[in-house]
């Protein structure tokens, strides 16, 4: 029997951590979406109400919150495509670890592009 | 003597028709199909609202009015709302089933989930369809430019 400290076939490797991160980001995005539909619904109340609440998204602190949100969504999206490939592509299961690293690289590239852009939007420049 | 034929084992043998519901299979498939479509819808949404122009800072009532005056964006946002909520709600259903140990806790949490999701989907749908970009009596400086006509 495999020892817990050395990990089993599944435990502690790319397979497990991608699953943990997919689950955590999925829950996070879900709760944000509930709030986001509610704040958008304020367009039916009045322009002033909508602008007041959407204005809170433009503060420097929230700018970092949005970076975290985008990071979560982009990871969940790319890793979701990886899950689809594992399930439907013939070579998927064999390449799942490789695909996890590709997901991380693509994710890092997206964040390297988005973070400066977001900081420029927020702090000017 | 003719060789005797032996029927293939299990062939044509059905003790009873399967009564198992196909629901979980469809839910599994839906997670994958909706996921692939959501990549396009959400990346497009983030690109237009958060990357283009001045990003978060362009978001206000006039910006939303400008987008939803176009049926293209109304449909985009409506499909995105439904797919993301169904996908997210089904994902949360799975997670609740994974971590609850008593059936009562599971049913209570899932019921709460379905009520919250139902309210959000209905509210969001109504907002997309009943939104008026140029409400009468509103401050014109807060509205989309085409309202001044
Ligand atoms: C951006 C495109 C997205 C893709 C490609 C995607 C893909 C996936 C896939 C393939 C699964 C696995 C389903 C399964 O194991 O049967 C999943 C699970 C999940 N997704 Fe998404 N998804 C996306 C967007 C979203 C959004 C917007 C939300 C929230 C509203 C969300 C919330 C969840 C949740 C909560 C789970 C369950 C996680 C788990 O069981 O561990 N996803 N997603």
């Amino acid at each position: 029997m495999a020892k817990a400290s050395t990990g089993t076939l599944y435990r502690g490797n790319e397979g497990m951590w991608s699953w943990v991160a997919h689950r955590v980001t999925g829950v996070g995005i879900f709760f944000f979406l509930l709030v986001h539909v509610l704040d958008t619904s304020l367009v039916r109340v009045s322009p002033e109400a909508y602008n007041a609440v959407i204005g809170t998204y433009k503060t420097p602190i929230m700018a970092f919150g949005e970076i975290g949100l985008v990071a979560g969504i982009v990871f969940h999206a790319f890793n979701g495509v990886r899950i689809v490939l594992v399930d439907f592509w013939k070579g998927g299961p064999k390449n799942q670890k490789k695909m996890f690293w590709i997901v991380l690289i693509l994710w890092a590239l997206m964040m390297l592009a988005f973070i400066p852009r977001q900081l420029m939007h927020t702090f000017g420049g | 003597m003719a060789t005797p034929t032996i029927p293939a084992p299990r062939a044509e043998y059905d003790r009873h028709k399967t009564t198992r519901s196909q629901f979980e299979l469809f839910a599994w498939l839906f997670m994958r199909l909706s996921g692939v479509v959501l990549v396009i819808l959400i990346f497009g949404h983030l690109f237009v609202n958060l990357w283009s122009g001045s990003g978060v800072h362009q978001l206000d009532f006039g910006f939303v009015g400008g987008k939803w005056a176009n049926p293209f964006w109304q449909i985009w946002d409506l499909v995105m709302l439904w797919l993301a909520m169904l996908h997210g709600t089904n994902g949360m259903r799975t997670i609740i089933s994974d971590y609850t140990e008593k059936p009562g806790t599971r049913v209570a949490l899932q019921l709460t989930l379905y009520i919250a999701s139902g309210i959000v989907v209905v509210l969001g749908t109504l907002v997309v369809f009943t939104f008026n970009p140029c409400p009468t009596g509103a401050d014109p400086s807060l509205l989309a430019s085409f309202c001044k006509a």
Side-chain angles (χ1 to χ4, degrees), chain A residues 19-20 22-31 33 73-74 76-84 87, chain B residues 27-29 31-32 34-40 42-43 80 83-95 98-99:
Chain A
W19 170 80
V20 169
H22 198 82
R23 184 159 271 200
V24 169
T25 51
V27 174
I29 300 164
F30 179 75
F31 282 109
L33 182 57
I73 292 174
V74 170
H76 190 98
F78 287 164
N79 191 58
V81 173
R82 171 179 161 274
I83 296 174
V84 171
D87 288 344
Chain B
W28 179 91
L29 199 61
M31 290 306 274
R32 278 133 190 89
S34 61
V36 171
V37 179
L38 280 169
V39 174
I40 299 158
I42 294 177
F43 279 36
M80 187 165 64
L83 287 184
M85 284 305 295
L86 287 173
H87 177 108
T89 303
N90 188 56
M92 294 299 288
R93 177 181 71 90
T94 304
I95 294 175
D98 274 358
Y99 296 121

Side-chain angles (χ1 to χ4, degrees), chain B residues 56-89:
Chain B
V56 257
H57 280 265
Q58 69 198 330
L59 303 180
D60 58 18
F61 186 89
F63 181 86
V64 180
K67 269 186 97 176
W68 283 350
N70 187 341
F72 176 84
W73 286 116
Q74 280 187 307
I75 301 294
W76 184 294
D77 286 353
L78 191 75
V79 175
M80 187 165 64
L81 169 76
W82 278 78
L83 287 184
M85 284 305 295
L86 287 173
H87 177 108
T89 303

Side-chain angles (χ1 to χ4, degrees), chain B:
Chain B
M1 216 176 110
T3 29
T5 53
I6 305 164
R10 287 166 170 267
E12 303 296 317
Y13 178 74
D14 229 350
R15 200 186 294 273
H16 55 75
K17 287 244 158 7
T18 174
T19 49
R20 259 177 66 211
S21 145
Q22 301 271 76
F23 176 78
E24 292 300 339
L25 174 66
F26 283 117
W28 179 91
L29 199 61
F30 174 77
M31 290 306 274
R32 278 133 190 89
L33 293 179
S34 61
V36 171
V37 179
L38 280 169
V39 174
I40 299 158
L41 293 176
I42 294 177
F43 279 36
H45 178 74
L46 292 176
F47 179 79
V48 170
N49 290 29
L50 227 48
W51 177 279
S52 312
S54 56
V56 257
H57 280 265
Q58 69 198 330
L59 303 180
D60 58 18
F61 186 89
F63 181 86
V64 180
K67 269 186 97 176
W68 283 350
N70 187 341
F72 176 84
W73 286 116
Q74 280 187 307
I75 301 294
W76 184 294
D77 286 353
L78 191 75
V79 175
M80 187 165 64
L81 169 76
W82 278 78
L83 287 184
M85 284 305 295
L86 287 173
H87 177 108
T89 303
N90 188 56
M92 294 299 288
R93 177 181 71 90
T94 304
I95 294 175
I96 291 171
S97 298
D98 274 358
Y99 296 121
T100 51
E101 290 176 4
K102 296 194 209 93
T105 324
R106 175 173 53 82
V107 170
L109 285 175
Q110 286 180 347
L111 211 61
T112 314
L113 172 70
Y114 300 148
I115 292 169
S117 297
I119 291 173
V120 164
V121 169
V122 170
L123 178 70
T125 304
L126 285 176
V127 168
V128 174
F129 278 127
T130 66
F131 175 64
N132 175 6
C134 309
T136 43
D139 178 353
S141 70
L142 299 179
L143 306 182
S145 52
F146 53 77
C147 294
K148 295 185 181 89

